[in-house]
Amino acid sequence: MKRTHLPLNGLRVFDAAARHLSFTRAADELAVTPAAVGQHIRALEDLLGVVLFRRTTRGLELTAEAEAALPSLRLGFSHFEQSVALLQVGQASTVVTISAPASFAARWLAPRLAAYRAQNEGLSLRLFASTGPIDFTQANIDLAILHGPQAPDGQPSHLLQGMRWRPLLRRMCVRR
Amino acid sequence: MKRTHLPLNGLRVFDAAARHLSFTRAADELAVTPAAVGQHIRALEDLLGVVLFRRTTRGLELTAEAEAALPSLRLGFSHFEQSVALLQVGQASTVVTISAPASFAARWLAPRLAAYRAQNEGLSLRLFASTGPIDFTQANIDLAILHGPQAPDGQPSHLLQGMRWRPLLRRMCVRR
DNA sequence: TATGGTTACGGCGAACGTAAGCATT
DNA sequence: AATGCTTACGTTCGCCGTAACCATA
């Protein structure tokens, strides 16, 4: 089946139900009702033309087909989790990415940053030298320092040493 | 991020957009509009707090974070595809699973089946000896042969040699 | 002017919950 | 009775399309 048409949500429900061997407990994990789980599994079985579970009066048993497919499915989820984890590297609260003009970064910021780093064990600072106007949609910047006559489009800025220091929050924060 | 909360559909859109480096072409692949793709990507970026694409006026560029996450994401999809393929083993039109009483299978069916096999190169027949009443929700049976005074719950059946031969189609077929 | 991403808004259908039912222990 | 899957039915909300907008080449 082509990637475009994979029943992703159905597969997730299948994985949960198979791990718990119970629609009820799977529903609990997924924060839905058992009926919703049953509907997903039924839809998946109908779509693929394969019975996934033998329904016994006390719980479930996996069919041979389901058993065969589960290892790959779980590998798939593991890779998805890893992928999202990689996306969120730099999102950990201990990593801050700062953009600043190259000269300012070198002469003013870097020395103070070194001291700050020394005092904050475990805090990771990434420093980017900016070349032009900062666009928070262009990179994953947490904090930008730049200079100019005025802050663009009314974003909050603070005067810093005769320069303007602009704590332009990244979109994640700005948007509640 | 926990498996339960992975934004699966968003990740699929991300994968498509990253492969094409274009929301428009990704939308084409996914059979939706570019607006829908943009909405998914935006939602994913907001959810994860990560910018995935630099929007240039002519197309897209991947951010470093996105670049780092893509290999795992694609591995994940590959495993999902393999998993579904495994589920559908036995669904290929060249594989038919037949359930029949053990004695009937051995004495009547097996010899004829052998001949039929010989005449139909590439057709794979799986034969299951049934022990009790057939329940199509209990296994992945394509065709069941059994005997008794009457077919259960009005499912279509054909008289076969003084026994009742019941072509109880599996759910996939019955339900259009 | 053509291309392509962005935004606002409204409609529709899939997904869900509720509640009742059924089978088994 | 208690557990647990199933089914019917009504509702809701997420996804999508439309259409207008904006920026660049």
Side-chain angles (χ1 to χ4, degrees):
Chain A
M1 181 172 291
K2 193 175 179 299
R3 164 175 325 196
T4 315
H5 305 114
L6 286 174
L8 297 176
N9 294 321
L11 290 174
R12 164 158 54 194
V13 174
F14 171 42
D15 168 62
R19 269 186 288 112
H20 293 289
L21 284 180
S22 158
F23 288 178
T24 304
R25 287 193 293 274
D28 188 41
E29 168 179 321
L30 298 167
V32 294
T33 58
V37 171
Q39 289 160 7
H40 267 288
I41 299 297
R42 154 67 63 92
L44 194 56
E45 289 179 329
D46 287 355
L47 176 68
L48 301 174
V50 175
V51 179
L52 299 172
F53 297 101
R54 277 182 294 277
R55 278 78 162 174
T56 69
T57 57
R58 284 289 194 251
L60 306 168
E61 295 172 13
L62 287 165
T63 62
E65 288 82 355
E67 200 97 54
L70 275 172
S72 294
L73 190 61
R74 287 171 180 156
L75 267 180
F77 276 115
S78 296
H79 281 111
F80 273 34
E81 286 167 359
Q82 184 184 352
S83 180
V84 170
L86 287 171
L87 281 176
Q88 291 185 317
V89 164
Q91 290 311 104
S93 59
T94 57
V95 180
V96 176
T97 303
I98 302 177
S99 165
S103 59
F104 179 81
R107 297 186 192 172
W108 191 93
L109 191 58
R112 287 163 179 79
L113 232 46
Y116 188 77
R117 256 202 205 92
Q119 293 172 14
N120 294 273
E121 200 67 44
L123 179 69
S124 173
L125 292 165
R126 296 194 302 171
L127 190 55
F128 280 173
S130 64
T131 57
I134 288 302
D135 183 352
F136 281 80
T137 68
Q138 295 291 344
N140 289 295
I141 306 292
D142 292 304
L143 174 71
I145 297 170
L146 46 98
H147 58 80
Q150 208 170 10
D153 42 66
Q155 283 174 314
S157 65
H158 291 273
L159 191 61
L160 174 74
Q161 288 204 335
M163 309 169 82
R164 288 203 165 270
W165 174 70
R166 295 174 187 161
L168 304 177
L169 297 174
R170 64 188 315 169
R171 190 202 294 152
M172 182 188 73
C173 308
V174 172
R175 296 208 178 152
R176 193 164 334 117
Chain B
M1 180 170 296
K2 194 174 179 299
R3 165 175 326 196
T4 315
H5 304 115
L6 287 173
L8 298 175
N9 294 322
L11 290 174
R12 164 160 51 195
V13 175
F14 171 41
D15 168 63
R19 270 185 288 110
H20 293 291
L21 283 180
S22 157
F23 289 178
T24 304
R25 286 193 293 274
D28 187 41
E29 169 180 319
L30 298 166
V32 294
T33 58
V37 171
Q39 288 160 7
H40 268 288
I41 298 297
R42 155 66 65 92
L44 193 57
E45 289 179 327
D46 286 355
L47 176 68
L48 301 174
V50 175
V51 180
L52 299 172
F53 297 100
R54 277 183 294 278
R55 278 75 162 174
T56 69
T57 56
R58 285 289 195 251
L60 306 169
E61 294 173 14
L62 287 165
T63 62
E65 288 81 356
E67 199 98 53
L70 275 171
S72 294
L73 190 62
R74 287 172 180 154
L75 268 178
F77 276 115
S78 297
H79 281 112
F80 273 35
E81 287 168 357
Q82 184 184 351
S83 180
V84 170
L86 287 170
L87 282 176
Q88 292 184 316
V89 164
Q91 290 310 98
S93 59
T94 56
V95 179
V96 177
T97 304
I98 302 178
S99 165
S103 60
F104 179 82
R107 298 186 190 170
W108 191 92
L109 191 58
R112 288 165 177 79
L113 231 45
Y116 189 77
R117 257 203 204 92
Q119 292 170 15
N120 294 273
E121 201 67 44
L123 180 70
S124 171
L125 292 164
R126 296 194 302 171
L127 191 53
F128 280 173
S130 65
T131 57
I134 287 302
D135 183 352
F136 281 82
T137 70
Q138 294 291 346
N140 290 297
I141 307 293
D142 292 305
L143 175 72
I145 297 171
L146 47 99
H147 59 79
Q150 206 170 10
D153 43 64
Q155 283 175 312
S157 65
H158 292 272
L159 191 61
L160 174 74
Q161 288 206 336
M163 309 168 83
R164 288 202 164 271
W165 173 70
R166 295 176 186 160
L168 304 177
L169 297 173
R170 64 187 317 172
R171 189 203 294 154
M172 180 187 76
C173 306
V174 171
R175 297 209 175 153
R176 198 160 332 117

